[in-house]
Amino acid sequence: MQIAMLGPFEVRGDDEVLVDVPGARLRGLLVALALDAGQLVPKARLVDWVWGEQPPAEAANALQRLVSRLRKLIPVEGTPDGYRLVVEPDAVDAVRFERLVGQGRLREALDLWRGAALQDVGLQDSTAFDAAATRLEGLRLTAAEDWFDAEIARGRGAQLVTELTDLVATHPVRERLVGALMQALAASGRDSEALLVYQRTRDALVETLGVDPSPELSALHVALLRGESVRRDEPNRETNLRAELTSYIGKAADIAEVRELVATHRLTTLIGPGGAGKTRLSTEAGRTLTDVLPDGVWFVELAPIGTEADVAQTAIATLGLRDGLLGEAAEVDPTERVIAAFREREALLILDNCEHVIDSAARFAERVLGQCPRLRILATSREPLGITGEALWRVAPLSLPQADADAESSPAVQLLRDRASAVRDLGSDAHTLATMARVCRALDGMPLAIELAAARLRTMSLDQLADRLDDVFRLLTGGSRTALPRQRTLRAVIDWSWQLLSDDERMVLRRLSVFAGGASLSAAEHVCGTADALELLTALTEKSLVVADSNKAPRYRMLGMIKEYAAQHLADADEVELTRHAHLTYFTELAETADPHLRRAEQLEWLAVLDAEHDNISAAMRGAIAAGEAAAAMRLASVAGWYWWLSGHKAEGNDLIKAAIDTPGEVPDEIRAFVYSLFILFLNSGPGDEHLAREWIHEIHRIGKRTQLVNPMLQLVEPLERMLQVPGDFLSAWEPLLDSQDPWVRALAQLQLGKMRVILGHGGYEADNFLQAAVTEFEALGERFGITFALSELADRIATRGEFATACAHYEHAIEVIAEISGTDDLVRMRSRQAELYWLLDDPERSAAALAEAQRLAEQVNWPGALANLALSKATLARWRGDAADVLAQLTTITALLGEAAEQSNIRALRHELLGSIAEDLDEAREHWTAACAAATETGHASGIAGLLVGVAGYALRRERYADAVRLLAASTAVRGLADRSNPELARIEQATRNRLSDAEYAEAAAEGAQADWNQLVAVTLAS
């Protein structure tokens, strides 16, 4: 049941049907009971209400009869002392009105009125009734005046002129209403009308009451005359946001995203580590909403308050909420007072820095949002408030330049330049931009850290700043004097978060600092030494101290500055060695588990696992080496070496393996032998000389004989040892491995037996068949490196026969396969070789494209072998084009890349071959060809010797010794076992000599060359 008395009197039942209460006295009785709904009203008061000064002779009986009539319509309970209306107090609009006014919910209270109080009741001659109506009307006017004052204080006076004009016309001597109307008119720029209102009111007061205007109204009049304290309503007044002193850089997109979140969610929280710029983003986003939200954007700063402080009380103090706004409700709790202020307002409340009062902030936000349906809250915190419906926006650091060339467009660099411009002009040359990029990367793109760094430029140069960033906590201490103490230094920013952590959270955070490149949950559990790692990591992630990268299995990492801070606490806790050893053990065991799988079909899965932990494996290795732990370093090298080789980390792997070998200390024989075998693998990659590995091969062989080791990699050492002991016995050295129990070893034996036949100059298809068999067996295993290796060798063999298109197809297949395991080093070599083959196919566009791709890939690697192969292909192509200058340039590059290795016999042979081919002076050419043949003799490789014989044939042609040229070509074919159609010089010399010799002379010379000793042919040709 609802009883309406603030306007036309009516009663509605629960079924919304209007209840007819006939007769003025019956309605008067109902009003008397309703104003104290739910409470006992004495009979004497009811009689006084209904009959006033003229009660009936039997007043008690008359009242009882009237109550009996009312009971037929509305539930009424009676006692000897009085009667009670059985309805909830809020069912009576007048009662609800008074409650709402008491709570400061003025707009909601005023909206209950639909006309005059107790209208249409019709009760006559009742002083109590008249007094009640007068009191309600007075409360209404007082509430309206309070509400108007609050609205005008908020800058909304211009919108109230019409409503106030009507009220002043009804109540011309109600001075608070008059004052409100004058201020509203002034706010809308209608000063003359405001003065006219004052004049009319003064006349009315004198005429009706015989008094002058109050001092308050007179003071307002004087202020209007003088133009003082007259506040015009202006756009964007609905805010207490301060004007910023600096520009906002790099976050325009974030402002738009946050604005959209605020528009679609009642609560949005900006989360992120200290110094990420949460506060500034919140205010910048809020500033864009002041024109949209009619009741404004209000900023409440929580950072200065203690952990036990009340968020609501801080909001009241910050926003200046006055008791007048709350009616007579000064005793209402602080949150209710805020609710009263915002209940009907469409506004945004920014709660800044909630992390240290997170529980209080969450309770406050939930209550206020629950009772202020048009209010929105934008919070900033280092962790979420954790309320249902909360939208989160993680405030990331400013984006960093991917390369120094991108520095000028980087928001982080732009911020550094902008803030530094206040103290010095940094310039914009390439060195300055690169140095600024280095500074910003060292600071993780964190805005506060960048601003602190810029402040340091008052007393040091940019280069000095960059060189001292190894200790950022000591360096970055020059914050604003007006900032909170915890925002004046970088250490203080992180100290603030550290102090809010539990002991277990601190333990996990400091131990997590030992990781490089983040940690999986399993790794964190093992290294941090707690079964509660997931819960603690989740808590640290929510507090913005740890970042959980989003994927199927999250990885946990820290920003560089936080990691450095945690590492210092790790040292302070004397846990560095304990944690490092746990880290080393975990990643050594992980690599041991993965290693066998890297030679099988599941290698992609395990490469992905190790790729994710690459930085940790390298860090564990370097830590063991630095600590002089030879056994631990060699153990890890033995199981990580093949991973480094496969995954395109050859240079790093080579350096780490060499460093582990050089670390003094006792190492088990099996591990030492295995690491030596891996080192041989790295030594023999690229255009190197396998003879450098002689000592290592002998040592592994001695260890193997002593310990009877069994390992796939170690099995490969036995044929290498036999090849050293019996030079030239290549085939019988590898054939025993065809019976190995390991299918990977068997497939590799097939490949080597094919490759050895090429080296030995076997001309038939047997070498091709072995290479094809190796491809097939590696494909059955699913071992992608083996597939690529075998396909490359097969492609080169096919190219020798002149089948360039098929060879290109094989290389394309090999490239597709190796790309699956990120073998960038190998891709450089294969694309370089493709460039040569496309040139031979007379397709210069595809040749140039392949070479360009090889160059692009080369920029991603630092393995000398891969880069030297690219330079060699460039030199070869330049030689074919006749570009002597480019040949010389590429030779210079090869020499620089290989260093001492450039003096190996096979490299010397290649260098002199190229120099001999471009030398214009014949005597100079002869010297180079002589040196090239001497070096090739040292290698003993048939393919290399055969190639040089073609080159010497070209020299003979230049000397017009045509028969000698034919003899040398024939000797080349005999050495290789077949003519090398991939060398365009061969076809050119053939054609030139046929043009000079008869068929009989050509045939005779070719027959002689096929049977002759190639050394004698070279000696004769180069003798003069």
Side-chain angles (χ1 to χ4, degrees):
M1 177 170 293
Q2 300 292 321
I3 302 173
M5 297 187 291
L6 304 179
F9 179 83
E10 61 182 27
V11 180
R12 293 186 177 273
D14 293 336
D15 57 357
E16 298 299 319
V17 176
L18 188 66
V19 177
D20 184 21
V21 183
R25 295 192 190 283
L26 194 62
R27 289 193 293 271
L29 174 62
L30 176 55
V31 167
L33 292 169
L35 287 175
D36 286 309
Q39 300 182 34
L40 188 69
V41 182
K43 293 179 179 179
R45 190 197 303 174
L46 292 175
V47 169
D48 186 53
W49 255 87
V50 175
W51 287 281
E53 298 294 332
Q54 299 177 354
E58 300 290 337
N61 292 333
L63 178 61
Q64 184 177 10
R65 288 193 296 272
L66 202 58
V67 169
S68 296
R69 290 174 57 194
L70 185 60
R71 280 176 172 159
K72 295 177 182 179
L73 304 173
I74 298 173
V76 178
E77 293 180 348
T79 71
D81 297 323
Y83 296 96
R84 177 189 296 111
L85 183 64
V86 186
V87 296
E88 292 296 325
D90 266 12
V92 182
D93 60 359
V95 175
R96 187 160 72 253
F97 165 73
E98 292 195 57
R99 178 179 64 80
L100 292 172
V101 168
Q103 294 175 345
R105 296 159 64 175
L106 302 179
R107 184 68 264 173
E108 187 178 352
L110 292 168
D111 286 344
L112 294 175
W113 286 76
R114 299 169 296 115
L118 305 179
Q119 182 180 335
D120 299 334
V121 174
L123 190 62
Q124 303 294 323
D125 302 323
S126 173
T127 303
F129 175 84
D130 292 340
T134 301
R135 187 179 69 84
L136 287 172
E137 288 289 355
L139 281 176
R140 177 189 186 183
L141 286 173
T142 301
E145 288 165 344
D146 288 341
W147 186 77
F148 286 130
D149 285 348
E151 289 296 285
I152 290 168
R154 292 180 181 278
R156 294 170 54 84
Q159 302 174 38
L160 307 174
V161 170
T162 300
E163 189 175 357
L164 279 167
T165 299
D166 292 342
L167 278 172
V168 169
T170 306
H171 306 280
V173 293
R174 187 93 179 183
E175 291 188 76
R176 281 189 68 190
L177 288 178
V178 171
L181 176 56
M182 291 170 63
Q183 291 184 75
L185 288 166
S188 58
R190 297 156 68 177
D191 293 33
S192 59
E193 293 181 52
L195 292 171
L196 185 59
V197 167
Y198 174 80
Q199 185 65 44
R200 287 199 301 261
T201 303
R202 184 182 65 180
D203 293 344
L205 286 168
V206 171
E207 182 179 342
T208 59
L209 302 178
V211 298
D212 291 324
S214 66
E216 292 80 8
L217 194 61
S218 296
L220 178 58
H221 175 241
V222 172
L224 282 168
L225 290 172
R226 294 176 177 175
E228 298 173 355
S229 65
V230 177
R231 181 163 49 193
R232 311 292 184 195
D233 282 0
E234 299 173 358
N236 304 330
R237 270 211 68 258
E238 290 289 336
T239 183
N240 65 342
L241 294 176
R242 297 185 299 270
E244 297 291 350
L245 301 179
T246 57
S247 58
Y248 192 53
I249 294 173
K251 292 286 188 176
D254 285 19
I255 292 175
E257 294 287 350
V258 172
R259 180 186 171 106
E260 181 64 25
L261 286 174
V262 171
T264 54
H265 296 82
R266 301 281 313 287
L267 171 63
T268 300
T269 304
L270 308 183
I271 57 174
K278 301 182 295 295
T279 298
R280 186 65 183 270
L281 177 57
S282 72
T283 58
E284 294 294 337
R287 209 180 311 280
T288 69
L289 293 167
T290 54
D291 288 338
V292 177
L293 298 170
D295 297 304
V297 177
W298 306 97
F299 185 84
V300 178
E301 187 174 10
L302 301 177
I305 69 176
T307 56
E308 301 301 322
D310 185 6
V311 171
Q313 191 63 55
T314 305
I316 289 172
T318 301
L319 301 175
L321 300 180
R322 302 181 298 110
D323 288 346
L325 181 65
L326 307 168
E328 300 174 356
E331 74 283 358
V332 177
D333 80 87
T335 302
E336 281 295 335
R337 299 176 74 181
V338 175
I339 291 170
F342 286 100
R343 186 176 301 278
E344 294 301 325
R345 303 195 182 280
E346 187 176 355
L348 173 66
L349 191 62
I350 299 176
L351 301 179
D352 187 47
N353 287 297
C354 297
E355 58 271 357
H356 62 302
V357 286
I358 194 72
D359 292 334
S360 176
R363 289 192 298 270
F364 171 80
E366 186 170 47
R367 283 187 61 190
V368 171
L369 290 174
Q371 298 188 53
C372 302
R374 302 171 70 193
L375 179 69
R376 299 176 186 279
I377 289 180
L378 175 60
T380 75
S381 176
R382 300 187 189 187
E383 62 178 305
L385 299 190
I387 300 174
T388 301
E390 178 183 26
L392 297 177
W393 177 262
R394 187 170 293 279
V395 180
L398 291 168
S399 60
L400 297 165
Q402 297 299 311
D404 289 347
D406 304 325
E408 198 159 13
S409 61
S410 162
V413 172
Q414 290 172 1
L415 179 65
L416 178 60
R417 180 188 292 284
D418 179 82
R419 300 303 188 257
S421 66
V423 295
R424 66 171 64 224
D425 181 9
L426 295 180
S428 57
D429 58 277
H431 172 75
T432 297
L433 289 172
T435 306
M436 286 196 291
R438 179 156 63 98
V439 169
C440 291
R441 291 189 191 105
L443 301 178
D444 297 314
M446 296 293 283
L448 178 60
I450 291 172
E451 292 187 340
L452 290 172
R456 271 295 187 187
L457 293 174
R458 291 192 296 264
T459 56
M460 62 174 55
S461 71
L462 179 63
D463 286 328
Q464 288 174 323
L465 173 70
D467 292 340
R468 286 165 172 76
L469 286 174
D470 56 337
D471 189 354
V472 294
F473 296 112
R474 180 176 297 177
L475 181 67
L476 302 185
T477 58
S480 170
R481 287 192 178 95
T482 61
L484 290 170
R486 66 182 178 87
Q487 294 176 330
R488 293 179 189 172
T489 72
L490 189 59
R491 178 178 294 280
V493 170
I494 307 178
D495 277 340
W496 173 255
S497 295
W498 177 264
Q499 291 161 7
L500 299 176
L501 301 179
S502 67
D503 289 342
D504 285 343
E505 288 170 341
R506 291 177 184 176
M507 181 268 289
V508 169
L509 188 67
R510 64 176 179 259
R511 293 184 179 180
L512 204 63
S513 67
V514 76
F515 286 92
S520 66
L521 176 59
S522 173
E525 287 175 332
H526 180 89
V527 174
C528 295
T530 174
D532 297 328
L534 176 58
E535 289 74 15
L536 294 168
L537 286 168
T538 300
L540 290 169
T541 300
E542 290 185 342
K543 293 173 182 177
S544 301
L545 289 167
V546 170
V547 177
D549 292 329
S550 56
N551 50 41
K552 292 182 180 178
R555 293 183 61 78
Y556 302 93
R557 61 179 177 84
M558 292 183 284
L559 294 177
M561 292 178 295
I562 296 175
K563 180 179 176 181
E564 182 178 340
Y565 179 92
Q568 292 179 4
H569 278 276
L570 187 70
D572 292 342
D574 197 23
E575 295 177 349
V576 172
E577 287 303 299
L578 170 71
T579 309
R580 185 182 66 79
H581 281 123
H583 179 270
L584 173 63
T585 299
Y586 179 86
F587 287 105
T588 300
E589 292 175 353
L590 178 67
E592 283 176 340
T593 302
D595 181 66
H597 300 285
L598 298 181
R599 290 177 287 275
R600 296 294 186 270
E602 60 271 22
Q603 69 180 176
L604 285 184
E605 173 188 345
W606 283 95
L607 277 173
V609 171
L610 296 182
D611 277 341
E613 304 297 356
H614 169 263
D615 291 344
N616 280 311
I617 293 170
S618 299
M621 185 73 171
R622 290 188 174 90
I625 292 168
E629 298 168 354
M634 290 284 277
R635 179 187 171 195
L636 180 52
S638 71
V639 291
W642 187 239
Y643 158 69
W644 286 323
W645 175 270
L646 284 180
S647 59
H649 298 289
K650 290 187 177 71
E652 180 185 32
N654 181 68
D655 291 344
L656 291 175
I657 289 173
K658 182 67 166 61
I661 290 172
D662 291 341
T663 302
E666 293 295 323
V667 178
D669 281 341
E670 179 176 3
I671 291 176
R672 186 176 295 279
F674 196 19
V675 175
Y676 286 175
S677 69
L678 288 167
F679 191 56
I680 293 170
L681 176 69
F682 283 89
L683 278 177
N684 286 337
S685 65
D689 189 342
E690 68 273 14
H691 291 303
L692 276 180
R694 183 186 301 272
E695 293 183 14
W696 300 101
I697 294 171
H698 289 328
E699 178 62 19
I700 298 169
H701 184 68
R702 286 193 292 270
I703 294 174
K705 293 192 63 162
R706 187 168 66 245
T707 59
Q708 300 299 311
L709 300 175
V710 178
N711 184 287
M713 295 296 293
L714 295 177
Q715 289 183 54
L716 307 180
V717 176
E718 181 63 28
L720 296 177
E721 175 69 16
R722 291 190 58 183
M723 288 167 63
L724 292 175
Q725 292 176 354
V726 186
D729 189 17
F730 293 175
L731 299 182
S732 60
W734 288 97
E735 285 170 348
L737 295 189
L738 292 175
D739 297 325
S740 172
Q741 294 183 352
D742 191 300
W744 183 79
V745 173
R746 293 197 301 271
L748 197 61
Q750 295 276 15
L751 190 156
Q752 291 292 346
L753 286 168
K755 187 176 179 180
M756 292 303 107
R757 282 170 168 77
V758 173
I759 290 174
L760 294 171
H762 291 201
Y765 283 90
E766 194 175 8
D768 307 55
N769 294 337
F770 272 104
L771 293 173
Q772 184 59 63
V775 172
T776 301
E777 292 192 20
F778 279 125
E779 286 180 338
L781 275 175
E783 205 281 89
R784 290 154 184 83
F785 174 76
I787 295 171
T788 301
F789 189 4
L791 278 172
S792 299
E793 294 291 336
L794 181 59
D796 287 340
R797 179 66 168 181
I798 292 172
T800 303
R801 300 184 187 280
E803 300 173 20
F804 306 135
T806 304
C808 276
H810 280 324
Y811 265 113
E812 198 62 43
H813 184 194
I815 287 168
E816 291 175 1
V817 172
I818 201 66
E820 294 185 88
I821 58 174
S822 302
T824 310
D825 299 337
D826 299 293
L827 286 171
V828 172
R829 173 181 59 81
M830 288 186 283
R831 286 298 187 197
S832 301
R833 180 57 174 152
Q834 268 193 323
E836 298 176 29
L837 294 173
Y838 282 128
W839 195 93
L840 294 171
L841 280 168
D842 196 22
D843 192 341
E845 290 186 2
R846 296 182 74 179
S847 175
L851 195 64
E853 176 66 6
Q855 181 63 52
R856 185 188 68 79
L857 293 166
E859 293 170 359
Q860 304 173 28
V861 302
N862 57 357
W863 181 235
L867 300 176
N869 272 314
L870 172 60
L872 180 59
S873 286
K874 288 181 177 180
T876 300
L877 289 167
R879 172 189 176 185
W880 292 348
R881 294 193 310 268
D883 187 346
D886 196 13
V887 171
L888 289 172
Q890 299 306 325
L891 282 174
T892 301
T893 299
I894 292 171
T895 302
L897 285 168
L898 297 181
E900 294 181 1
E903 293 306 312
Q904 297 170 13
S905 56
N906 59 337
I907 303 300
R908 283 189 286 110
L910 286 170
R911 183 171 67 248
H912 286 296
E913 178 184 356
L914 288 167
L915 291 172
S917 67
I918 64 172
E920 294 184 1
D921 182 79
L922 287 174
D923 290 338
E924 180 185 351
R926 181 179 60 196
E927 292 177 3
H928 284 303
W929 287 117
T930 300
C933 289
T937 302
E938 294 177 27
T939 68
H941 286 183
S943 57
I945 294 169
L948 280 173
L949 291 175
V950 174
V952 177
Y955 169 80
L957 181 63
R958 293 180 64 191
R959 288 283 190 180
E960 299 182 354
R961 297 168 60 176
Y962 305 116
D964 284 344
V966 174
R967 293 185 187 97
L968 287 162
L969 290 183
S972 171
T973 300
V975 170
R976 189 186 297 276
L978 71 165
D980 183 9
R981 297 300 171 187
S982 67
N983 186 345
E985 282 291 286
L986 189 146
R988 185 184 69 83
I989 297 169
E990 275 186 347
Q991 186 62 49
T993 52
R994 286 186 183 279
N995 290 340
R996 295 290 184 170
L997 299 173
S998 66
D999 290 346
E1001 289 172 331
Y1002 188 95
E1004 180 181 357
E1008 291 171 355
Q1011 299 299 320
D1013 182 339
W1014 68 267
N1015 284 288
Q1016 293 181 359
L1017 290 176
V1018 168
V1020 170
T1021 302
L1022 298 179
S1024 59

